[in-house]
Amino acid sequence: QSVLTQPPSVSGAPGQRVTISCTGTSSNIGARFDVHWYQQLPGIAPKLLIYANTNRPSGVPDRFSGSKSGTSASLAITGLQAEDEADYYCQSYDNRLSGYVFGTGTKVTVL
Amino acid sequence: QLQLQESGPGLVKPSETLSLTCAVSGDSITTTNDFWGWVRQPPGKGLQWIGRIHYGGTTSYNPSLNSRVTISVDTSKNQFSLNLTSVTAADTAVYFCARCSNSGGWLDPWGQGILVTVSS
């Protein structure tokens, strides 16, 4: 069961900016737990893209950025490229479930 | 460089137990205070957290699977394992293992994943 809600899909032309929202509740994002983002290319394991709301692991382009406010978080991709076409998932911790929770996932399509 | 690799049967019969192992290489499983976890992804669907374990033995599980899941650790072999009992077709999924940061809860790195099909 996915506790965090994401739009099923977003799309944009190369070079454009797209954003993906991740909406939670008072027991996860709203409880000040960090939000993390993953990129999953077809047939490949998820890869950490953003950790602790705004931080990029080494090697992740600065076209990817994260933010968090209240019970929601967002992932922004600027200068969209064909290689960014993938599924994206947010993740946090939920103190009511006492465990990790994932978002429903968003498919990014580059037009 | 830390690497994780899942192994186990790719086919399990309904009502039987699914057993997978995650071998950790590149560092000792006891080096940090991090957790080691399992996540699954049914075909065409999203990610579902299964549970996690600390090398000291502390575990936590997804409440929806709690009664059927056991995660254990073998520090001598630098690996941890997943047991899921009484499986049904709904347990068919790609199963991933990952390191779970104790400082913030992110999962990195991930294993490549292993497809487990539940079918007679």
Side-chain angles (χ1 to χ4, degrees):
Chain A
Q1 79 287 18
S2 295
V3 176
L4 307 179
T5 302
Q6 300 176 229
S9 64
V10 299
S11 61
Q16 285 190 330
R17 179 180 188 268
V18 297
T19 61
I20 301 170
S21 61
C22 173
T23 302
T25 67
S26 58
S27 63
N28 41 69
I29 299 175
R32 300 185 182 181
F33 291 109
D34 287 336
V35 177
H36 321 295
W37 291 89
Y38 303 89
Q39 177 192 60
Q40 186 177 31
L41 298 170
I44 305 294
K47 167 193 165 185
L48 182 65
L49 200 63
I50 297 287
Y51 67 96
N53 308 315
T54 61
N55 299 281
R56 284 186 309 276
S58 173
V60 173
D62 59 6
R63 303 185 291 103
F64 295 92
S65 62
S67 64
K68 175 190 165 187
S69 178
T71 58
S72 296
S74 290
L75 173 72
I77 310 174
T78 56
L80 194 63
Q81 298 182 5
E83 65 203 51
D84 300 333
E85 196 160 276
D87 293 325
Y88 293 82
Y89 294 91
C90 60
Q91 177 241 325
S92 186
Y93 183 86
D94 191 289
N95 59 19
R96 181 175 61 84
L97 300 174
S98 296
Y100 301 134
V101 287
F102 285 97
T104 48
T106 298
K107 181 174 183 58
V108 170
T109 301
V110 181
L111 302 173
Chain B
Q1 180 184 358
L2 187 70
Q3 291 186 316
L4 287 75
Q5 178 71 57
E6 306 89 348
S7 63
L11 180 65
V12 181
K13 290 182 169 55
S15 80
E16 295 190 344
T17 296
L18 179 159
S19 297
L20 298 174
T21 295
C22 181
V24 179
S25 61
D27 200 0
S28 169
I29 206 168
T30 63
T31 297
T32 70
N33 213 24
D34 293 329
F35 286 80
W36 304 89
W38 290 95
V39 174
R40 70 180 183 178
Q41 184 172 36
K45 297 189 177 180
L47 302 170
Q48 181 185 34
W49 176 68
I50 299 172
R52 66 180 190 178
I53 189 167
H54 185 269
Y55 74 83
T58 302
T59 55
S60 63
Y61 301 127
N62 186 321
S64 68
L65 300 171
N66 190 47
S67 62
R68 298 194 293 131
V69 175
T70 302
I71 298 176
S72 59
V73 64
D74 187 336
T75 56
S76 66
K77 294 182 178 179
N78 216 39
Q79 64 186 35
F80 59 104
S81 300
L82 168 70
N83 272 11
L84 182 66
T85 62
S86 305
V87 297
T88 69
D91 295 309
T92 294
V94 176
Y95 286 75
F96 299 100
C97 60
R99 180 179 61 178
C100 315
S101 168
N102 186 45
S103 59
W106 60 84
L107 282 66
D108 181 63
W110 295 58
Q112 66 181 28
I114 182 170
L115 173 63
V116 180
T117 301
V118 178
S119 174
S120 55

